[in-house]
Amino acid sequence: MKSWIAFWNILKKDVKNYYLKPPNISWGIIFPLSWTLMQLIRTPGGNILQLLPGLISMSVLFGTTSMLAVTITFERSGRSFDRLLLAPISLSTMVLAKIMGAILFGVFNAFVPVIFAAFFVNLGAVRWAVVLPAVLMIAVTSTLLGLLIAVSAKQVFEAQTFSNFFRFPMLFLCGLFVPLPSVPVFLRPLSYCLPLTYGTDLLNGAITATSSLSPVLCFSMLLAFAAALFMLCRYNINRKWIL
Amino acid sequence: MRGVDIMGIVSVANLKKTYGDFTAVDDISFDIQEGEIFGFLGPNGAGKTSTINMIIGLSRPTAGEITVDGIDVRTQTKKAQALMGIVPDESNLYNEMDGFDNLCFCGALYGMRKEEREAKARHLLEQFRLKDAGKRPFKAYSKGMRRKLTIAAALIHSPRILFLDEPTTGIDVESARQIREMIAGLKNQGTTVFLTTHYIEDAERICDRIAFIAKGRIVASGTVPELMESVSHGHAIQLVTDENAESLAAELQGRFEGSRVEVRPDHSVVIISKQRIPLLPVMEYYNDKGIAVYEARELRPTLEDVFVKLTGIESSMLKKEKEKGGAGR
Ligand SMILES: Nc1ncnc2c1ncn2[C@@H]1O[C@H](COP(=O)(O)OP(=O)(O)OP(=O)(O)O)[C@@H](O)[C@H]1O
Ligand SMILES: [Mg+2]
């Protein structure tokens, strides 16, 4: 019960102080929108449905990683983060509370391009039962990736540099722009090491029926990534932040 | 729980912390008894913050044992932390939140229910005379107000032990006075307090027991009278007389076996001796010479003198303000 009160209030504070702040909200809407428009302009008459998985993935990836890197690194540099480390709640509870805000923010971002697309195309054929958990898992894994970066970075600036270093190569290797079978053979093992690859494949399957892996495999891989990243983050926080 | 009583509510044994080759805390041992105010007095870089951080579980000891109310902090950190209120050396609340929300959030971290934490937050704002500031964001607070709110935040869950790292450093006189009063009040309610400071006056005024800490070691500890006692000082009498008394200093010294006579720059005469010095013979001596004595008083060593003597550190080192931008916490 006590842990739950702490969990809920950490989440509530983050949502109120960071995620619901006008600049972040508008960033969450404008960013996916401009990606969508850019893609439309680049390929006029292109099939919006085909673009949708990529847009969703990118929105989630950028939304979660950038927000988390900022909120955690920001509180670290102001030392208020020490309060969370000193609170009588387990490290897991604290980490879960901290990432939950970013996960929700990522899921919210994912649906901006979806709503936008709904004006242009019929989304009747989309398998939402797959899209929803896939979006959630992409949000979870990329948030944890963001946390891993935040744990390694000392300043907000450093966190952002790090995350760009990860994000852009990831976008090109995960099968979004270049379909997985066309990724150069020597880079393909790297693709299979990225959680986003599996998330994208799930979305491709659910939205345009063009998946190349089995959904069961994809979900299992995403869950495995989430668990491994969570443990890694916890271990790192314990090792690096409690000096 | 007899064992715990004897050990003290906070018990530290052979605590050590090294950063690379550098030893910040070097084999420190001490006990804090329940209900007392215990203070670390030491200059910049003495290892005060490093010690506190290990006790509260924010930093890992290189070696040594720490128990809080019988709980091993190294293995049961979270259980021990539930008993602690912590005021770090920097006021570190959330800038974008107002005073009231900051306090409530801190209460929630310790699992307090909404009604309970809100009532306590209101009470604390009133007690710290921050009621009007309760609705203003933390970033708009003055230094003294920030300090007070940070202390209030550490008290919201009514901790049994309060840790204060330099509670009065760098803030206005009035806020510092309120903080000292508040600490005295906590003692009356039975809260145990551990604080660090580099102000001798604060240590002397606030603490029941003081430990002098320098270069990572406890040089001496005890109550103020005990510390005074530990330095074998002689007795000294200061006399304010007519000016021409100065030339008689050497003669006076000859008169009183085993004494030493000094003339101070303000022309007063100081007689120093191992034994207590009776006043009458001195007065008679001056009277015979026809010299008027206007004032005679015993000089007692100050805690500052004792500190300098025991640590070999100039007291000006203590008065030096914290160097900003130094090595981490
Ligand atoms: N993370 C760290 N890495 C390396 N050295 C450190 C670290 N933290 C502290 N030190 C060093 O350990 C010594 C003790 O530091 P500490 O902060 O405990 O001193 P302090 O008594 O609290 O001083 P102050 O009055 O300045 O707060 C200092 O010389 C400091 O430079
Ligand atoms: Mg310090």
Side-chain angles (χ1 to χ4, degrees):
Chain A
M1 183 61 199
K2 288 194 165 189
S3 290
W4 171 246
I5 292 176
F7 174 90
W8 174 241
N9 279 277
I10 293 172
L11 175 59
K12 214 168 67 180
K13 177 191 82 63
D14 278 1
V15 168
K16 215 168 117 189
N17 286 324
Y18 304 124
Y19 299 106
L20 288 185
K21 283 280 142 92
N24 293 325
I25 287 235
S26 51
W27 167 259
I29 295 171
I30 288 166
F31 190 75
L33 273 186
S34 39
W35 275 106
T36 315
L37 284 173
M38 226 165 77
Q39 295 292 334
L40 282 179
I41 292 162
R42 210 173 55 108
T43 48
N47 189 344
I48 293 180
L49 217 50
Q50 265 162 21
L51 296 173
L52 202 52
L55 292 170
I56 291 176
S57 301
M58 270 190 299
S59 307
V60 178
L61 182 68
F62 279 81
T64 53
T65 48
S66 54
M67 279 310 281
L68 199 81
V70 172
T71 57
I72 293 214
T73 334
F74 183 66
E75 288 192 5
R76 284 276 300 155
S77 66
R79 300 267 311 269
S80 56
F81 199 83
D82 286 354
R83 294 191 172 275
L84 305 180
L85 293 172
L86 290 170
I89 48 169
S90 72
L91 200 55
S92 301
T93 309
M94 190 271 276
V95 172
L96 278 175
K98 272 318 253 188
I99 63 176
M100 198 54 79
I103 293 172
L104 293 177
F105 187 72
V107 172
F108 164 81
N109 275 4
F111 287 95
V112 174
V114 173
I115 291 164
F116 188 77
F119 287 106
F120 298 93
V121 286
N122 179 6
L123 297 176
V126 175
R127 281 153 53 214
W128 298 107
V130 176
V131 172
L132 277 171
V135 163
L136 185 68
M137 285 314 291
I138 296 174
V140 169
T141 48
S142 47
T143 299
L144 285 165
L145 219 52
L147 180 60
L148 199 61
I149 291 164
V151 178
S152 322
K154 284 209 173 59
Q155 300 142 8
V156 176
F157 171 73
E158 209 176 274
Q160 278 170 333
T161 315
F162 271 160
S163 42
N164 283 334
F165 186 76
F166 274 94
R167 285 187 301 210
F168 287 103
M170 211 151 98
L171 282 178
F172 288 97
L173 287 173
C174 74
L176 268 182
F177 297 115
V178 189
L180 215 47
S182 328
V183 169
V185 181
F186 67 99
L187 283 177
R188 225 173 290 167
L190 211 56
S191 295
Y192 287 116
C193 293
L194 299 172
L196 199 57
T197 305
Y198 303 95
T200 307
D201 198 66
L202 279 173
L203 291 180
N204 280 337
I207 295 170
T208 57
T210 54
S211 64
S212 59
L213 303 163
S214 105
V216 178
L217 173 79
C218 288
F219 274 119
S220 321
M221 284 307 286
L222 283 169
L223 281 172
F225 269 114
L229 282 169
F230 184 78
M231 301 302 278
L232 194 60
C233 286
R234 236 189 56 135
Y235 172 79
N236 263 322
I237 288 174
N238 211 335
R239 200 176 50 103
K240 286 194 136 169
W241 289 353
I242 301 180
L243 293 170
Chain B
M1 299 277 272
R2 262 196 76 87
V4 173
D5 286 351
I6 294 160
M7 269 169 65
I9 190 161
V10 176
S11 178
V12 171
N14 309 107
L15 193 62
K16 200 172 163 176
K17 179 75 187 178
T18 56
Y19 298 106
D21 295 338
F22 180 75
T23 305
V25 175
D26 193 0
D27 200 25
I28 275 184
S29 301
F30 62 91
D31 277 70
I32 305 175
Q33 301 306 321
E34 178 136 35
E36 79 172 336
I37 303 178
F38 182 79
F40 260 12
L41 176 65
N44 278 165
K48 304 184 294 294
T49 302
S50 302
T51 307
I52 279 209
N53 283 347
M54 286 187 280
I55 301 175
I56 63 181
L58 200 56
S59 143
R60 281 194 190 83
T62 308
E65 311 289 324
I66 306 163
T67 59
V68 169
D69 197 30
I71 302 163
D72 186 341
V73 174
R74 300 183 70 166
T75 53
Q76 292 181 283
T77 317
K78 293 296 162 189
K79 195 175 166 202
Q81 281 171 343
L83 307 174
M84 306 176 182
I86 294 149
V87 182
D89 52 0
E90 259 173 69
S91 302
N92 67 341
L93 284 163
Y94 300 91
N95 272 322
E96 52 292 326
M97 274 154 64
D98 67 30
F100 182 74
D101 285 350
N102 260 304
L103 294 185
C104 289
F105 177 70
C106 293
L109 286 182
Y110 289 80
M112 290 171 79
R113 296 168 169 286
K114 194 174 161 73
E115 316 79 57
E116 197 189 351
R117 60 181 189 251
E118 288 186 349
K120 188 74 189 281
R122 270 189 288 272
H123 173 77
L124 284 167
L125 285 175
E126 198 144 327
Q127 189 192 340
F128 280 84
R129 290 172 224 172
L130 288 169
K131 210 173 155 204
D132 302 330
K135 286 271 158 280
R136 264 188 278 156
F138 187 62
K139 59 173 171 256
Y141 279 29
S142 75
K143 252 185 161 178
M145 289 160 74
R146 291 168 77 90
R147 205 70 197 130
K148 288 195 286 180
L149 195 73
T150 307
I151 297 176
L155 289 171
I156 189 129
H157 60 292
S158 316
R160 281 181 60 196
I161 313 156
L162 182 64
F163 292 87
L164 295 149
D165 198 357
E166 310 218 7
T168 55
T169 299
I171 60 171
D172 60 288
V173 179
E174 176 57 20
S175 298
R177 194 183 59 75
Q178 285 177 17
I179 289 171
R180 283 194 299 270
E181 265 172 22
M182 183 279 311
I183 296 173
L186 280 176
K187 182 186 154 69
N188 291 335
Q189 293 160 29
T191 307
T192 308
V193 178
F194 177 24
L195 62 86
T196 76
T197 181
H198 54 189
Y199 295 135
I200 293 180
E201 309 80 42
D202 269 6
E204 194 166 2
R205 268 186 290 199
I206 308 172
C207 300
D208 296 318
R209 272 189 323 125
I210 301 169
F212 291 163
I213 174 166
K215 299 199 184 81
R217 285 176 166 276
I218 292 183
V219 179
S221 70
T223 61
V224 174
E226 279 167 6
L227 288 167
M228 298 286 198
E229 207 57 35
S230 69
V231 181
S232 71
H233 50 81
H235 293 272
I237 294 179
Q238 184 177 31
L239 300 152
V240 180
T241 65
D242 285 347
E243 281 169 43
N244 49 358
E246 291 179 49
S247 53
L248 295 171
E251 195 186 323
L252 188 64
Q253 185 160 322
R255 270 292 180 94
F256 295 93
E257 196 70 19
S259 69
R260 192 158 51 83
V261 177
E262 285 172 5
V263 178
R264 291 276 166 97
D266 63 353
H267 305 295
S268 67
V269 175
V270 177
I271 309 172
I272 303 157
S273 162
K274 281 257 180 296
Q275 283 81 42
R276 298 201 80 177
I277 306 157
L279 277 178
L280 198 59
V282 181
M283 303 300 251
E284 278 175 342
Y285 168 79
Y286 277 121
N287 199 34
D288 290 348
K289 300 275 175 194
I291 294 168
V293 178
Y294 300 112
E295 205 180 313
R297 60 188 160 111
E298 184 166 24
L299 289 184
R300 293 171 189 281
T302 59
L303 192 61
E304 188 168 330
D305 299 330
V306 176
F307 181 87
V308 172
K309 201 152 186 177
L310 287 175
T311 61
I313 291 172
E314 280 305 316
S315 59
S316 60
M317 288 297 291
L318 284 173
K319 284 165 189 148
K320 227 162 69 178
E321 277 305 319
K322 199 184 212 88
E323 290 142 30
K324 282 283 165 203
R329 37 165 150 296

